[in-house]
Amino acid sequence: MSIYEALWLSKMGHQVDLYHPFESCSELNSILDSSSVDCLNSFTKLGGNFNVIPIYPNNRLLDKYDFGIWQSYTHWEYASFFSTFKDSCAFTTKNYPKFIPDYSFIKQGLLKPHFDEFDLIACSLRSDHDLMLKGVKEGLINPKRFCYAPRGADSHRVINSDKPKVPTIGIDSPVGADFRAVKPIITALELVKKEIPELQTLSFNKTYGEINSVRVPPSSFLNFYNSFINNLWGYCAINYQYSPAHIQASVQKQNNNWKYRAIYEVQNIEAQMAGACVIGHQSNVIDELIADSNKEFIYTDFSDCEDIANKIKLCINNHNEVNQNSRAFAEQNFEWSKCLKKWELGMVQSLSGI
């Protein structure tokens, strides 16, 4: 995400420095040596014009900035760098996935810690942004302190052409080895393979012998696009109930409707940008991230594997239409350049006092 922020903000004409925190010089040197490069600026910038700068504990940022974007989620990075980050930036911002459980959270003033730390909050989800707008109407929130800026996908590298000739379905991976996270999908795919024996399945970081899936190992995001996302006709979301690492955020504990949803699953957007539909259970997907035309592939009963199989077959039998509709939805709503333009507008308005 930081790469795309730096890429598009630099393409929009801004001077951008991307700081990468390290605990020690040896940590950085190990990464450079393993990649046979001499500095962070040697890695791909995808055509962007920005600097990549290493920073270590007790270092300060090298310059003063109008706006600083905070992208860290680890405690040691916060403890080591947040104060110098704040001191070096006239304004600060952060992009939040789902973070407001319900409107009572706003009425009780529980957004205050977020606004104490950041001058501008970028809401990744329209549902959070709508709750903030309601707070504006009731005089609880300053409208200049937040904006809507979804997380997106790269239409230049996530492509919907040159698909495999045989139907290809991808399976997401749970964190951990709990087979219940994918069991309904595997059973459904077994049924589909009886009717469509040439069906190919790609499974991220796992192998499922029941369907002879091809394991796609973790790698760089560009390799992930080429080896997994870009090949898909359909993408099967897992049951996050059995992948505990996906559902640890406080919002998932405070709002029952979110307890089995990942707070923002960008692979759903990437899959649609690649022309695939998302096939998943209603309790695991975020409605606003799914094209209306693809809602027919969302199921409501984990135990009805025939229904899930029928949805997979529907995806395959309507491949061309699914491809076009999914791509159009993702391009219109989640192209990275458009997402960053929304965020840029929020930052400019904050700076100008509009």
Side-chain angles (χ1 to χ4, degrees), residues 226-281:
N226 292 330
S227 61
F228 187 75
I229 291 291
N230 288 341
N231 295 308
L232 301 183
W233 291 31
Y235 171 77
C236 294
I238 62 170
N239 184 355
Y240 294 117
Q241 180 179 0
Y242 302 112
S243 183
H246 278 100
I247 49 175
Q248 293 301 306
S250 60
V251 69
Q252 294 159 318
K253 298 174 175 62
Q254 296 166 348
N255 184 332
N256 194 57
N257 292 328
W258 279 84
K259 65 180 180 179
Y260 299 138
R261 288 187 168 99
I263 53 178
Y264 196 98
E265 191 49 69
V266 74
Q267 284 177 203
N268 290 349
I269 296 169
E270 292 168 336
Q272 290 172 102
M273 186 70 82
C277 65
V278 176
I279 303 160
H281 191 274

Side-chain angles (χ1 to χ4, degrees), residues 212-233:
N212 297 317
S213 69
V214 176
R215 174 181 177 267
V216 177
S219 62
S220 72
F221 70 95
L222 293 178
N223 286 337
F224 175 67
Y225 291 163
N226 292 330
S227 61
F228 187 75
I229 291 291
N230 288 341
N231 295 308
L232 301 183
W233 291 31

